[in-house]
Amino acid sequence: HLLDAGVSARSMLVLTPQRTLGAPYYDALRSPTVAARGEVTLLTLGGLAQRMVDLFWPLIVEEAGFEHPERPPTFLTLETAQYYMARVVRPLLDEGAFESVTIDRNRLYSQIIDNLNKAAVVGFPYTEIGDRLKAAWGGEQSRKRIYEQAQMCANRFRRYCLDHNLLDFSLQVEVFLEHLWTRPICRDYLLGRYRHLMVDNVEEDVPVAHDLLHEWIPSAASALVIYDHAAGYRRFLGADPENAYGLRDECDEHVTFDKSFVMLPEMEALEEALTRSIDHLPLSPVTSDVEPATRTENARRALSYETHRYYPQMLDWVTQQIRRLVQQEDVPPGEIVVLAPFLSDALRFSLTNRLESDDIPTRSHRPSRALREEPATHCLLTLATIAHPAWRITPTRFDVAYAFMQAIEGMDLVRAQLLADIVYRIQDGAATLSSFERIKPQMQERLTFVLGERYEALRDWIEHHVQEGREVAQQEGTGSEPLDHFLSRLFGEVLSQPGFGFHRDFDAAEVAANLIESVRKFRWVTEETGYRTEQRRGSPLSLGQEYIEMVQEGVIAAQYIRSWQIETQDAVLLAPAYTFLIRNRPVDYQFWLNVGGRGWWERLYQPLTHPYVLSRHWPPTDRDDETWTDSDEVRAREAALHRLAQGLMRRCRRSVYLGFSDLGEQGYEQKGPLLQAFQRVLRSLLAEHDYKSNKQHT
């Protein structure tokens, strides 16, 4: 409307909590019917902060405490922030810090970074993190020592960033809000540049973003603020829906949409029954306009389930139902999603194999996985270590066999292990591969000549790269090509070609693209800082070698937009429940797996942080005690389960299928709160159905 009215696109700003939620706006602006009046700006709070810091850096560099005002800023991604956090924390770990915490190092690094982010987006000094966590802790006193160590690591990391002009997300936000937004020249620039604001999913944004909007909206020529009720799924990232609702007071006109554009009446009835069951309320509200019998019948039609004793039986039933929907009812695979609280490798592999055997395409999305956990990443980096003998990194024989299985189409694990046993050698501390032609004839026949030819093509390419690198080093005195360049060539010239593993594997191609982008950003950051890499045996490590060692430590992947752009592919989506929620895309059919598991109910184990304590609503105003108790945890879990179930059902048009099994994936009995809530719903539906049948019979 604004563009059609002649308003300049340059004066419009669309703010979303995360970049992926801006996808509908990107799609709309690409429409050929949109007037060409410039480019509308779509940003998150972090993107806005980064742009402003980069633009006004000379004004605030000294005031903000950076040690090198003559140097430009270096902005860190989640991955590079973990890299520098590791450099700060690793010496403390070697001295015995966090010895009572049993989590992987990468999770430890990410939780300390999360604490810094929470302080920035909630709006309290980062030096108070440890005190807040200690005040809320009511368990063993030894945990308070852990919080003190986490605070010390946060302090050291912040000092390191200031000393080297590094800005992670938390420092970008703090510098923007404390040193730029408060300056008239910067505020006038923003208020004058962006006269029209559109803020979507404001309930998923953080408190300091709401504070910013409270000051910005009154000065704007127009503003549209969109708030979703009963949402706030990103609380673990600092979302504050209660604080967001206060922006209502800044708006002159309020419009409420209370009818779903997604759910059919059957789904609405089921959603109401389940959420009331989770809240332990009567399942038949007296205020409903729909007759109880009609509401019951609607809810029954929207719910499908079958109980099983063992976990594989449940997976077989899920596969059978998806096959029936796709092949008999002509449901597009893209309108089906399979959800679980956590999508393990075993679950993903089992479902993918079952569905692909029926020629049903699948797609998975697990954005919080570490880079090293992706098979495609493992394959690429294993081949990279073999192609760079100077690094002196020697993967295990099984790692090489697994890389062969991923890289060569048709290579099973047995042949891959046999091939690795024969051709993989370690000479002078470097990994090497021998030729297929040197293998005994009977063993060549066992491996097959087709696979041998593909292996030989891969080995020749690696050997050529090794020789090329030696010649360049001798002639120019420089090291090998950057790792991201090598990976790009390896993917494009070999692995994506017919006969190799990535040729038709779009998931592997996506992982490869994300990995190359990750390596490239790592190289840019480390080169910009001018920081010498780690020393080993008197010489510095190459950036590629250091990156691989960082990945082997389990660095958690940053957000890659291409991984979220999956709605255009007609394939069954396998995803964790919260990942699907944050995608904010509806489907026709949902399959909920492990309904009896406690993963739907329990929070992730995070011993160094706490999303509820590090918020503006703790401690509650109606009590003096600041300790987080079991009753607080139960209330928080019930509220989270309510939001999760309601959010999933409001993104489902037709029906929900429940995957029940008495024994879970690990063989334990399943009696979680979500299962109990569904049991109450089913008992109520069956009781009303029996009452109706008896009444008709009478």
Side-chain angles (χ1 to χ4, degrees):
H1 170 74
L2 290 173
L3 289 172
D4 291 341
V7 176
S8 171
R10 188 176 180 273
S11 65
M12 302 180 200
L13 173 64
V14 179
L15 278 176
T16 57
Q18 67 180 45
R19 294 168 62 195
T20 58
L21 293 175
Y25 295 93
Y26 281 111
D27 295 340
L29 290 170
R30 292 192 186 104
S31 171
T33 60
V34 174
R37 300 187 183 276
E39 184 177 355
V40 177
T41 303
L42 283 81
L43 291 174
T44 63
L45 174 64
L48 179 63
Q50 182 172 330
R51 285 195 181 190
M52 291 295 292
V53 171
D54 195 32
L55 182 61
F56 292 100
W57 175 252
L59 291 181
I60 49 84
V61 57
E62 293 188 46
E63 177 185 308
F66 292 93
E67 289 296 323
H68 299 283
E70 75 283 0
R71 299 180 185 174
T74 299
F75 300 101
L76 303 181
T77 65
L78 175 60
E79 293 166 6
T80 51
Q82 291 175 79
Y83 165 74
Y84 286 109
M85 178 65 76
R87 303 187 76 85
V88 172
V89 177
R90 197 178 293 127
L92 298 176
L93 294 175
D94 295 339
E95 295 173 2
F98 303 108
E99 58 185 4
S100 62
V101 179
T102 54
I103 58 173
D104 294 336
R105 286 193 174 191
N106 62 298
R107 297 289 173 183
L108 188 148
Y109 302 149
S110 66
Q111 287 181 32
I112 298 173
I113 293 172
D114 185 61
N115 283 342
L116 286 165
N117 293 344
K118 289 288 195 311
V121 300
V122 173
F124 64 87
Y126 74 92
T127 54
E128 297 180 4
I129 294 171
D131 293 338
R132 286 174 175 251
L133 293 172
K134 287 192 296 182
W137 177 250
E140 296 181 359
Q141 294 300 306
S142 58
R143 175 63 67 85
K144 294 187 176 182
R145 174 62 177 166
I146 299 301
Y147 293 145
E148 293 174 357
Q149 293 171 347
Q151 179 68 70
M152 178 173 59
C153 292
N155 295 343
R156 290 193 177 190
F157 178 72
R158 177 57 58 85
R159 184 67 260 166
Y160 186 90
C161 288
L162 293 174
D163 288 344
H164 296 86
N165 287 23
L166 304 175
L167 290 96
D168 65 327
F169 172 79
S170 65
L171 191 51
Q172 292 172 38
V173 172
E174 287 184 18
V175 170
F176 168 57
L177 294 175
E178 296 177 10
H179 301 283
L180 289 176
W181 179 247
T182 55
R183 284 177 173 263
I185 184 174
C186 303
R187 183 186 292 230
D188 292 345
Y189 169 80
L190 279 177
L191 298 182
R193 168 74 185 273
Y194 301 114
R195 300 291 299 145
H196 303 274
L197 295 177
M198 283 142 281
V199 189
D200 202 354
N201 290 108
V202 70
E203 79 288 344
E204 301 291 345
D205 223 327
V206 295
V208 293
H210 306 148
D211 298 342
L212 179 70
L213 292 170
H214 273 293
E215 300 181 37
W216 197 335
I217 291 175
S219 301
S222 70
L224 171 65
V225 181
I226 304 174
Y227 178 96
D228 289 349
H229 289 276
Y233 311 116
R234 299 171 75 253
R235 284 179 184 265
F236 61 95
L237 295 176
D240 193 335
E242 293 83 7
N243 195 64
Y245 198 68
L247 290 171
R248 176 185 177 91
D249 298 334
E250 305 294 343
C251 301
D252 299 327
E253 183 180 358
H254 304 148
V255 180
T256 302
F257 297 94
D258 55 4
K259 298 296 182 182
S260 173
F261 294 99
V262 175
M263 294 187 294
L264 295 177
E266 294 84 354
M267 280 302 306
E268 290 183 348
L270 179 60
E271 180 252 333
E272 181 184 43
L274 179 59
T275 53
R276 293 182 70 84
S277 175
I278 293 173
D279 295 338
H280 302 282
L281 297 174
L283 302 187
S284 300
V286 296
T287 57
S288 177
D289 297 332
V290 183
E291 290 294 330
T294 303
R295 187 171 58 252
T296 300
E297 192 62 31
N298 283 344
R300 286 174 59 83
R301 285 199 296 267
L303 186 64
S304 299
Y305 65 95
E306 185 174 302
T307 58
H308 304 90
R309 174 63 176 168
Y310 298 107
Y311 189 79
Q313 294 174 329
M314 178 196 69
L315 298 182
D316 291 338
W317 176 78
V318 169
T319 305
Q320 177 187 352
Q321 296 303 311
I322 294 176
R323 180 173 62 245
R324 178 184 59 81
L325 290 173
V326 174
Q327 298 179 356
Q328 298 180 19
E329 300 187 16
D330 294 326
V331 175
E335 290 297 334
I336 301 173
V337 61
V338 181
L339 303 172
F342 309 106
L343 188 63
S344 66
D345 289 338
L347 175 57
R348 175 181 176 273
F349 177 81
S350 299
L351 279 174
T352 300
N353 272 9
R354 283 171 166 84
L355 292 172
E356 288 182 349
S357 65
D358 291 325
D359 295 325
I360 298 175
T362 62
R363 180 72 182 242
S364 64
H365 187 201
R366 295 177 291 176
S368 62
R369 282 167 55 82
L371 288 170
R372 68 179 180 184
E373 295 175 3
E374 294 290 351
T377 297
H378 180 277
C379 171
L380 288 165
L381 296 186
T382 299
L383 296 177
T385 59
I386 297 174
H388 294 84
W391 292 353
R392 294 296 189 266
I393 299 178
T394 54
T396 65
R397 201 170 299 277
F398 179 79
D399 288 338
V400 175
Y402 194 62
F404 286 160
M405 188 178 68
Q406 298 294 324
I408 301 174
E409 186 177 5
M411 178 78 75
D412 57 78
L413 185 57
V414 175
R415 287 187 174 90
Q417 187 67 56
L418 183 61
L419 179 62
D421 289 340
I422 297 173
V423 302
Y424 179 58
R425 295 288 183 271
I426 299 176
Q427 297 178 356
D428 299 328
T432 62
L433 298 174
S434 61
S435 173
F436 184 79
E437 297 177 355
R438 300 174 60 183
I439 300 177
K440 295 179 180 179
Q442 60 269 28
M443 198 60 67
Q444 289 180 337
E445 292 179 1
R446 185 176 175 184
L447 292 168
T448 75
F449 289 96
V450 172
L451 297 181
E453 182 181 4
R454 294 170 183 172
Y455 160 75
E456 193 64 20
L458 175 63
R459 191 195 72 84
D460 285 345
W461 190 93
I462 292 176
E463 189 66 27
H464 177 73
H465 175 271
V466 172
Q467 186 61 33
E468 188 178 67
R470 288 172 180 165
E471 293 175 358
V472 170
Q474 291 176 357
Q475 294 175 5
E476 302 179 9
T478 60
S480 59
E481 67 178 335
L483 179 58
D484 52 309
H485 295 186
F486 167 82
L487 295 175
S488 181
R489 288 181 54 204
L490 175 62
F491 173 82
E493 298 176 12
V494 184
L495 299 183
S496 63
Q497 300 302 313
F500 293 91
F502 292 19
H503 180 54
R504 290 187 175 89
D505 191 339
F506 296 106
D507 282 345
E510 177 189 299
V511 171
N514 292 343
L515 177 65
I516 293 168
E517 181 180 342
S518 171
V519 178
R520 183 183 302 117
K521 290 181 178 178
F522 175 79
R523 176 169 58 85
W524 287 348
V525 166
T526 51
E527 287 178 351
E528 284 177 5
T529 58
Y531 181 74
R532 293 283 293 176
T533 55
E534 284 191 12
Q535 299 284 326
R536 185 167 302 168
R537 295 176 183 176
S539 60
L541 299 183
S542 71
L543 292 180
Q545 183 177 356
E546 198 161 3
Y547 179 85
I548 288 179
E549 293 187 357
M550 178 184 74
V551 171
Q552 290 174 346
E553 277 200 344
V555 61
I556 297 174
Q559 184 185 81
Y560 296 98
I561 295 299
R562 67 175 64 87
S563 300
W564 294 80
Q565 296 171 341
I566 55 182
E567 62 275 0
T568 58
Q569 297 194 13
D570 193 17
V572 176
L573 174 63
L574 315 177
Y578 275 103
T579 299
F580 176 74
L581 271 183
I582 296 175
R583 285 183 66 240
N584 206 22
R585 294 288 188 273
V587 294
D588 286 347
Y589 298 94
Q590 294 180 4
F591 287 78
W592 296 11
L593 304 188
N594 307 333
V595 174
R598 298 188 65 84
W600 292 92
W601 158 266
E602 294 178 344
R603 290 191 296 114
L604 287 173
Y605 177 61
Q606 294 180 300
L608 304 186
T609 187
H610 200 297
Y612 295 98
V613 170
L614 300 180
S615 74
R616 289 192 179 179
H617 305 287
W618 186 261
T621 56
D622 58 349
R623 69 188 233 194
D624 298 329
D625 184 17
E626 294 186 7
T627 303
W628 181 264
T629 63
D630 290 340
S631 60
D632 294 318
E633 184 68 26
V634 170
R635 282 194 296 270
R637 290 180 178 183
E638 286 182 345
L641 183 60
H642 176 111
R643 288 192 302 271
L644 175 62
Q646 189 176 60
L648 291 177
M649 290 194 169
R650 289 183 175 182
R651 288 158 177 78
C652 184
R653 299 186 183 95
R654 298 185 179 278
S655 182
V656 170
Y657 289 76
L658 304 181
F660 289 118
S661 64
D662 294 337
L663 302 178
E665 191 173 3
Q666 281 77 35
Y668 297 109
E669 194 170 5
Q670 303 284 292
K671 293 184 179 179
L674 181 59
L675 174 61
Q676 297 173 20
F678 269 115
Q679 287 173 335
R680 290 191 292 270
V681 171
L682 294 173
R683 283 195 296 266
S684 175
L685 296 181
L686 290 174
E688 290 193 28
H689 177 73
D690 293 342
Y691 174 78
K692 179 181 177 182
S693 300
N694 292 335
K695 186 175 180 180
Q696 290 175 346
H697 179 73
T698 302

